[in-house]
């Protein structure tokens, strides 16, 4: 007997590369007929993905852009009736996804792509505008993030470290956590039979939120273990 296909509503703000990385595998799930993607601007064309972007003048109706996107998500879920509402990160899209899902009796899945830092915010490194402007509210946000995570139907995490912290710190059971390890698209990235030009490469925005301090410490460790390493390069997300 054939399973009934479902729709999934997604709310987040991701760059084109991350959209490609996150949505392409999701679009290949046979059970999913359509992905309704509420975001700020169209992403790359992906089968089954429909980008839903409000005209800019709608953002003038509310003080905060996040409220406008919440209203948009509520309308999308109410009209198109997806079975699942998902968000990538908790602050702040996860709040909208959770509330809409609970109001309209849908399943809520959260992707903690920043690991446990999606729960416990590192205010010194956060690039969230609310945190940067009002860092003193991080304690409240941490508790809210934890509550939302505990009361969600399923959490996707990048690895076992986050999984173990969720179990230890928040007492979330195994059956509500699923590891989705980062992968490489071998159609886009594959080794060539050539000598390497660089010994170490950092790919990402060269900003504090990407924890450049960890990268520099890693370089220091590599230099100690492999003294002849002399070439390294950072590649920005924009290049």
């Amino acid at each position: 007997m054939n399973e009934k296909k479902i729709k999934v509503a997604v709310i987040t703000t991701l760059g084109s590369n991350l959209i490609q990385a996150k949505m392409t595998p999701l679009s290949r799930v046979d059970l999913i007929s359509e992905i309704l993607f509420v975001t700020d601007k169209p992403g790359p064309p992906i089968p089954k993905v429909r980008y839903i972007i409000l005209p800019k003048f709608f953002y003038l109706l509310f003080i905060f852009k996040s409220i406008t996107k919440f209203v948009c998500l509520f309308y999308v879920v109410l009209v198109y009736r997806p079975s699942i509402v998902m968000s990538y990160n908790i602050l702040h899209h996860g709040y909208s996804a959770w509330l809409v899902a609970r109001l309209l009796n849908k399943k809520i899945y959260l992707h903690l792509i920043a690991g446990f830092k999606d729960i416990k915010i590192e205010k010194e490194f956060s690039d969230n505008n609310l945190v940067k402007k009002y860092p003193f509210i991080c304690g409240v946000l941490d508790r809210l993030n934890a509550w939302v995570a505990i009361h969600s139907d399923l959490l996707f995490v990048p690895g076992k470290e986050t999984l173990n912290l969720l179990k230890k710190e928040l007492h979330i059971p195994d059956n509500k956590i699923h590891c989705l390890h980062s992968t490489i698209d071998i159609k886009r990235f594959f080794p060539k039979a050539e000598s390497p030009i660089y010994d170490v490469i950092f790919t990402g925005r060269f900003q504090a939120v990407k924890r450049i301090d960890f990268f520099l410490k890693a370089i220091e460790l590599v230099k100690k273990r492999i003294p002849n390493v002399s070439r390294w390069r950072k590649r920005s997300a924009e290049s």
Side-chain angles (χ1 to χ4, degrees), residues 8 10 19-20 22-28 32-39 42-52:
V8 177
V10 175
I19 291 175
Q20 193 85 41
K22 304 299 182 184
M23 292 299 108
T24 300
L26 192 62
S27 71
R28 292 172 180 164
I32 294 176
S33 62
E34 187 175 27
I35 301 166
L36 305 158
F37 196 132
V38 177
T39 188
I46 301 171
K48 299 183 184 178
V49 176
R50 187 203 305 190
Y51 296 103
I52 300 174

Side-chain angles (χ1 to χ4, degrees), residues 59-81:
Y59 290 106
L60 300 176
L61 298 176
F62 300 100
I63 298 173
F64 300 109
K65 181 190 286 189
S66 56
I67 299 177
T68 310
K69 291 173 75 173
F70 166 80
V71 173
C72 180
L73 179 65
F74 186 91
Y75 173 82
V76 166
V77 176
L78 184 65
V79 172
Y80 296 101
R81 299 182 180 180

